[in-house]
């Protein structure tokens, strides 16, 4: 084409004009995409008071921006194809991770309550949809059977990842209703996805020429899918175990092994698509039967989920907006809104009705079942993609597709309000949350967060774990946690990984210390397999200022009843304690004020219970009971110690000698007579229960000392005798006759008056002290209490 000359004698070549137009078009695309990311985050921040998930803001912004004429016009057909390829790949990754987070073998086990509720809600919704949707005239170019099955399966499903994240964000995930909702959502999601996988074998989106050709295609794709599933189920565990064993926790992942693992996963998920099967569903089946446990799988899940939530989802909904032209939506047609209303009724009544009928037979409460049913109506990203994909292959029209998107949007926005309603009911029924030993359900395992400063706490830590185990059933779950200060040196060795805050420590001294602690604890558990102890390893890596908060959050997430901390002072060779570490002392003091459960501090002066156990000698342990809530908690802990066959427990009760002429007239100016009498009543009830359970049967020795004042208390504490361990309550006493004045010369107030005396340099050497403080309950619960039962 010849150049163009203007009246001003300026010449332009057409190629420059095309380049300039392309530049403008490209800049328009970039502005639209950047605006999608920015505005979706801004809207999400504005919706934060309503606890809306990211999906809500992403969907709204994507549809609005993509419907703008300038944005739609800037996306040419070539760029739209590129965008579609990106979206397809993103949904393949999404489906893969969705399958990887599920356990397919639960289908072959006896159904749990979660599964039964999920199956009931899914089946009832599916039946209702199959019965009603053929009469709603949704069809365009697809057969009645194919469309009815596809729509019914879509309405029956649940967005399990949406539910899981919402429950976790609102601190409901570890309550019984949270576990029920999440478990039922995962089961429902897995069953419906599996149904879609099978239906695509027999009813693919691409129509076949004739029935015979359809049978051949179904056999070919079904065989390929079966082969892929067998390889994923049988070959991948061997390969993934080898990778995981070659890359232990705490060590950096080897780059070659990471690449090899990703290539293996890609090959597994690509077998069925080579034979013409749907790539997205093939990725789901590949992830479903790959091992979900192990370092590589967890790394893959965290990385892909982070990439999807950060970059992909806003782009995905922008693509949805481009595909569904809102201007083509039949807004003025009354039939459109009737069909949308019918879809909402089918999804809601089906889920709630099935959940309610099944749940009532299992013994659940009606209001909570209705809430669970409403939560299970929530749909996810795959349901949106499923609807748009049907539009893309012209199985449905734009109005039907937009109707499905509206239904999915409405199913998501109501879930936070349902959860908040559940929390409000919980607050009325359970005003406070008690994470203590005293209030622990006898049929539940005891969960302990056992914190260590380093390898010097190994012997005492293992000994504490051993004597805390109680009965083999229900057992003990110990979360051994390393408390490591985040220094500049350690910070410089952090690399991206799947550890704390997605970072892995590569500092040799830290990794070697953690490995040594892990080996020591695991060896002890392996040698005592009948002890009923389960072990997990945790890490708190932070500055001393933020470490108390991190430990509290960890304890709350793990739902532990007791945090055990080492004393900040260490034992020296001469049997005395050193000056201690001020940073760890700060952590202990903060935790005593704000811990979400009961807390224990061990003053270690050679507590080697496991050594005595190996020599078949009995370890002498004492618990001192003066009175008050902390002493009651210490007595509850001593009850677990009493079950150990290698422990001879003695309970020593200090009582006020009312006949003594030295008895003070006024005990506590701040406490009323009524408060003192109430405490004495609770003390007597608690001790009577302990006495009847342990002392009366001869399992625990009992000593009683009648004292007049704190001076006699001090004298008796100094001459209490030789014990391996003495358990005491920290404080919490209203009736302070026997401890009044003991804190006037305290060196370590965090130990309480009795603990400070016993751990002093004048007390018996070689005796370790365990000081226990009851959970300090403050105010109302933030999330949902685990004691809020739905049964």
């Amino acid at each position: 084409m010849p150049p163009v000359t203007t009246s001003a004698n300026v010449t332009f070549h057409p190629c420059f004009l095309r380049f300039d137009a392309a530049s403008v078009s490209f800049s328009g695309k970039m502005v639209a995409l950047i605006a999608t990311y920015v505005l979706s985050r801004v809207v999400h921040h504005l919706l934060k008071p309503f606890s809306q998930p990211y999906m809500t803001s992403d969907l709204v912004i994507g549809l609005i921006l993509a419907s703008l004429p300038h944005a739609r016009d800037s996306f040419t057909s070539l760029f739209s194809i590129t965008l579609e390829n990106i979206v397809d790949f993103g949904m393949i990754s999404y489906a893969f991770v969705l399958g990887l987070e599920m356990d397919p073998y639960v289908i072959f086990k006896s159904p749990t309550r979660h599964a039964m509720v999920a199956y009931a809600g899914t089946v009832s919704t599916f039946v209702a949809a199959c019965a009603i949707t053929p009469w709603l005239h949704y069809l365009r170019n697809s057969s009645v059977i194919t469309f009815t099955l596809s729509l019914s399966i879509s309405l029956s499903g649940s967005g399990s990842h949406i539910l899981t994240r919402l429950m976790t964000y609102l601190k409901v995930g570890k309550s019984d209703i949270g576990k029920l909702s999440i478990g039922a959502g995962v089961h429902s999601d897995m069953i419906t996805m599996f149904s879609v996988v099978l239906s695509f074998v027999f009813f693919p989106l691409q129509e076949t020429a004739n029935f015979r050709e359809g049978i051949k295609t179904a056999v070919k794709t079904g065989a390929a899918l079966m082969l892929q599933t067998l390889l994923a189920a049988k070959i991948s565990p061997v390969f993934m175990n080898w990778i995981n064993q070659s890359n232990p926790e705490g060590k950096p992942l080897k780059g070659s092994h990471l690449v090899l693992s990703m290539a293996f996963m890609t090959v597994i998920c690509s077998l069925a698509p080579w034979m013409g099967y749907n790539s997205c569903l093939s990725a789901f089946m590949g992830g479903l039967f790959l091992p979900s446990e192990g370092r590589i799988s967890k790394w893959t899940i965290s990385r892909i989920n982070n990439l999807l939530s950060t970059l992909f989802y806003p782009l995905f909904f922008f693509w949805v907006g481009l595909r569904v032209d809102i201007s083509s939506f039949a807004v003025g047609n009354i039939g459109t809104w009737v069909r949308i209303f019918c879809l909402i009724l089918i999804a809601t009544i089906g889920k709630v009705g099935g959940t309610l009928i099944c749940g009532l037979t299992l013994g659940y409460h009606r209001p909570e079942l209705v809430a669970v049913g409403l939560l299970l109506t929530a749909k996810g990203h795959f349901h949106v993609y499923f609807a748009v994909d049907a539009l893309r292959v012209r199985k449905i029209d734009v109005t039907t597709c937009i109707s499905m998107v509206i239904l999915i949007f409405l199913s998501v926005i109501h879930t936070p309000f349902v959860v908040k309603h559940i929390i409000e009911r919980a607050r009325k029924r359970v005003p406070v949350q008690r994470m203590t030993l005293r209030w622990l359900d006898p049929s539940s395992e005891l969960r302990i967060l056992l914190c260590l400063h380093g390898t010097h706490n190994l012997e005492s830590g293992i000994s504490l774990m051993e004597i805390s185990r109680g009965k083999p059933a229900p057992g003990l779950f110990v979360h051994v946690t390393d408390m490591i200060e985040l220094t500049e040196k350690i910070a410089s060795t952090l690399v991206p990984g799947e550890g704390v805050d997605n970072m892995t420590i590569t500092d040799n001294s830290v990794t070697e210390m953690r490995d040594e602690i892990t080996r020591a604890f695991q060896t002890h558990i392996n040698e005592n397999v009948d002890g009923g102890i389960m072990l997990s390893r945790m890490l708190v890596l932070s500055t001393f200022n933020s470490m108390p908060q991190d430990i509290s959050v960890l304890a709350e997430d793990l739902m532990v009843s007791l945090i055990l901390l080492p004393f900040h002072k260490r034992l020296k060779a001469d049997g005395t304690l050193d000056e201690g570490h001020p940073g760890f002392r700060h952590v202990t003091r903060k935790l005593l004020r704000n811990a979400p459960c009961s807390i224990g501090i061990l003053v270690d002066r050679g507590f080697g219970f496991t050594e005595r156990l190996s020599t078949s000698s009995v370890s002498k342990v004492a618990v001192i009971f003066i009175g008050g809530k902390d002493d009651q908690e210490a007595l509850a802990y001593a009850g677990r110690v009493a079950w150990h066959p290698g422990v001879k427990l003695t309970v020593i009760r200090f009582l006020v000698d009312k006949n003594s002429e030295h008895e003070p007239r006024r005990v506590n100016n701040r406490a009323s007579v009524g408060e003192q009498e109430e405490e004495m009543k609770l003390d007597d009830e608690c001790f009577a229960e302990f006495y009847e359970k342990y002392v009366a049967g001869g399992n625990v020795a009992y000593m009683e000392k009648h004292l007049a004042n704190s001076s006699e208390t001090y004298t008796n504490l100094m001459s209490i005798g030789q014990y391996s361990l003495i358990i005491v309550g920290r404080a919490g006493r209203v009736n302070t006759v026997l401890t009044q004045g003991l804190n006037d010369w305290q060196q370590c107030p965090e130990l309480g008056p009795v603990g400070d005396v016993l751990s002093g340099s004048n007390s018996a050497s070689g005796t370790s002290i365990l000081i226990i403080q009851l959970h300090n309950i403050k105010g109302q619960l933030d999330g949902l209490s685990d004691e809020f039962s739905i049964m």
Side-chain angles (χ1 to χ4, degrees), residues 133-438:
T133 52
W135 307 97
L136 296 178
H137 304 292
Y138 280 114
L139 300 181
R140 182 176 176 178
N141 295 324
S142 56
S143 66
V144 175
I145 296 177
T146 304
F147 179 81
T148 302
L149 286 177
S150 301
L151 184 58
S152 301
I153 292 172
S154 183
L155 291 176
S156 304
S158 299
S160 58
H161 64 292
I162 296 290
L163 275 180
T164 302
R165 291 183 181 182
L166 180 65
M167 293 287 187
T168 304
Y169 175 74
L170 293 176
K171 302 180 182 179
V172 188
K174 293 180 180 174
S175 64
D176 51 2
I177 192 170
K179 291 176 182 177
L180 174 63
S181 301
I182 293 173
V186 170
H187 277 90
S188 176
D189 209 1
M190 182 171 62
I191 291 298
T192 51
M193 285 293 292
F194 196 69
S195 302
V196 172
V197 167
L198 293 179
S199 65
F200 261 67
V201 173
F202 301 101
F203 306 102
L205 286 177
Q206 288 76 21
E207 296 288 347
T208 53
N210 51 57
F211 179 77
R212 187 185 184 118
E213 190 68 26
I215 293 295
K216 288 175 62 177
T217 303
V219 171
K220 183 178 68 173
T221 56
L225 188 64
M226 182 67 69
L227 177 62
Q228 172 185 300
T229 303
L230 288 175
L231 289 176
K234 300 300 181 183
I235 304 295
S236 60
V238 179
F239 176 80
M240 299 300 283
N241 286 338
W242 172 70
I243 293 291
N244 290 324
Q245 289 171 6
S246 302
N247 296 271
E249 295 283 351
K251 301 286 186 180
L253 280 171
K254 297 177 182 177
S256 58
H257 287 180
L258 187 59
V259 172
L260 195 61
S261 302
M262 296 300 104
F264 178 79
M265 294 177 184
T266 303
V267 170
I268 286 292
C269 297
S270 301
L271 293 176
W274 286 342
M275 295 298 170
Y277 190 68
N278 184 275
S279 300
C280 189
L281 297 177
S282 175
F284 171 77
M285 289 298 290
L288 188 64
F289 285 93
L290 281 170
S292 58
E293 296 299 324
R295 190 177 182 189
I296 290 295
S297 296
K298 292 178 181 177
W299 184 92
T300 304
I301 291 171
S302 64
R303 286 297 179 274
I304 294 181
N305 274 333
N306 186 47
L307 185 64
L308 291 175
S309 59
T310 305
L311 297 176
F312 175 69
Y313 290 146
L315 180 67
F316 168 71
F317 284 110
F318 184 82
W319 170 79
V320 172
L322 290 177
R323 267 291 175 182
V324 294
D325 187 3
I326 297 180
S327 61
S328 302
F329 181 57
V331 180
N333 189 348
I334 190 66
T336 300
W337 299 106
V338 170
R339 285 192 283 269
I340 293 176
F341 183 71
C342 288
L343 289 179
I344 295 173
L345 280 182
I346 292 170
T348 305
I349 295 177
K351 284 289 185 183
V352 174
T355 303
L356 197 59
I357 293 171
C358 178
L360 289 176
T361 60
L362 295 175
Y364 290 107
H365 294 155
R366 184 179 288 104
E368 281 67 52
L369 287 173
V370 174
V372 171
L374 290 173
L375 291 175
L376 292 179
T377 61
K379 305 293 185 285
H381 297 82
F382 180 78
H383 299 90
V384 178
Y385 179 76
F386 193 37
V388 178
D389 199 37
L391 173 66
R392 185 163 52 170
V393 296
R394 303 188 178 184
K395 296 294 182 181
I396 58 176
D397 57 21
V398 174
T399 299
T400 302
C401 182
I402 294 177
S403 300
M404 291 295 298
V405 173
I406 292 174
L407 168 68
I408 295 167
F409 174 73
L410 294 177
S411 73
V412 171
I413 62 172
H414 80 278
T415 50
F417 302 104
V418 175
V419 175
K420 288 185 176 182
H421 174 71
I422 295 170
I423 294 175
E424 290 301 323
R425 280 181 50 81
R427 283 176 173 162
K428 294 176 182 177
R429 294 173 60 179
V430 185
V432 291
Q433 183 181 21
R434 296 187 178 102
M435 297 302 293
T436 67
L437 298 172
R438 281 200 64 200

Side-chain angles (χ1 to χ4, degrees), residues 121 198 211 260 397 577 581 585 649 657 753 756 774:
L198 293 179
F211 179 77
L260 195 61
D397 57 21
L577 300 174
H581 195 296
R585 186 180 192 184
L649 180 66
D657 186 1
D756 186 70
L774 181 72

Side-chain angles (χ1 to χ4, degrees), residues 531-564:
I533 301 177
M534 290 186 291
L535 176 72
S536 76
R537 293 286 280 119
M538 297 292 165
L539 170 66
V540 174
L541 175 63
S542 55
T543 62
F544 285 124
N545 285 332
S546 59
M547 192 176 289
Q549 176 65 20
D550 292 343
I551 293 176
S552 295
V553 170
L554 182 62
E556 193 171 6
D557 289 343
L558 297 174
M559 296 184 69
V560 300
S561 298
L562 179 65
I563 299 174
L564 291 175

Side-chain angles (χ1 to χ4, degrees), residues 710 736 739-745:
S710 58
T736 56
T739 57
Q740 190 176 31
L742 289 181
N743 54 1
D744 291 346
W745 297 278

Side-chain angles (χ1 to χ4, degrees), residues 605-751:
R605 295 197 292 194
F607 183 38
F609 175 73
T610 51
E611 290 184 357
R612 293 184 176 87
L613 201 63
S614 61
T615 58
S616 301
S617 61
V618 176
S619 183
K620 295 174 64 179
V621 178
V623 54
I624 297 176
F625 188 85
I626 300 175
K629 58 183 182 180
D630 291 349
D631 280 18
Q632 294 168 14
E633 185 73 353
L635 202 63
Y637 178 79
R640 297 190 65 89
V641 176
W643 286 104
H644 200 287
V647 171
K648 179 60 179 176
L649 180 66
T650 301
V651 57
I652 306 171
R653 187 174 190 187
F654 288 4
L655 294 169
V656 177
D657 186 1
K658 296 183 179 180
N659 297 322
S660 173
E661 60 181 8
H662 299 291
E663 180 195 2
R665 292 181 178 273
R666 188 65 184 269
V667 179
N668 187 350
N669 293 326
R670 292 175 296 177
S672 66
V673 176
E675 288 177 321
Q676 295 179 25
E677 291 178 350
E678 179 65 22
E679 183 183 83
M680 292 174 63
K681 179 183 176 182
L682 292 174
D683 289 342
D684 290 340
E685 289 177 356
C686 179
F687 196 85
E689 181 182 349
F690 181 88
Y691 189 95
E692 183 180 353
K693 193 172 184 178
Y694 301 103
V695 179
N699 298 324
V700 175
Y702 175 56
M703 293 175 59
E704 198 173 274
K705 295 181 179 292
H706 293 266
L707 311 174
N709 49 44
S710 58
S711 176
E712 294 186 13
T713 300
Y714 180 84
T715 303
N716 277 270
L717 290 175
M718 288 294 96
S719 58
I720 200 168
Q722 287 291 337
Y723 291 95
S724 301
L725 178 70
I726 298 177
I727 305 168
V728 298
R730 178 174 176 264
R733 304 175 186 92
V734 175
N735 187 6
T736 56
V737 178
L738 303 181
T739 57
Q740 190 176 31
L742 289 181
N743 54 1
D744 291 346
W745 297 278
Q746 283 186 113
Q747 295 180 349
C748 299
E750 61 267 28
L751 300 181

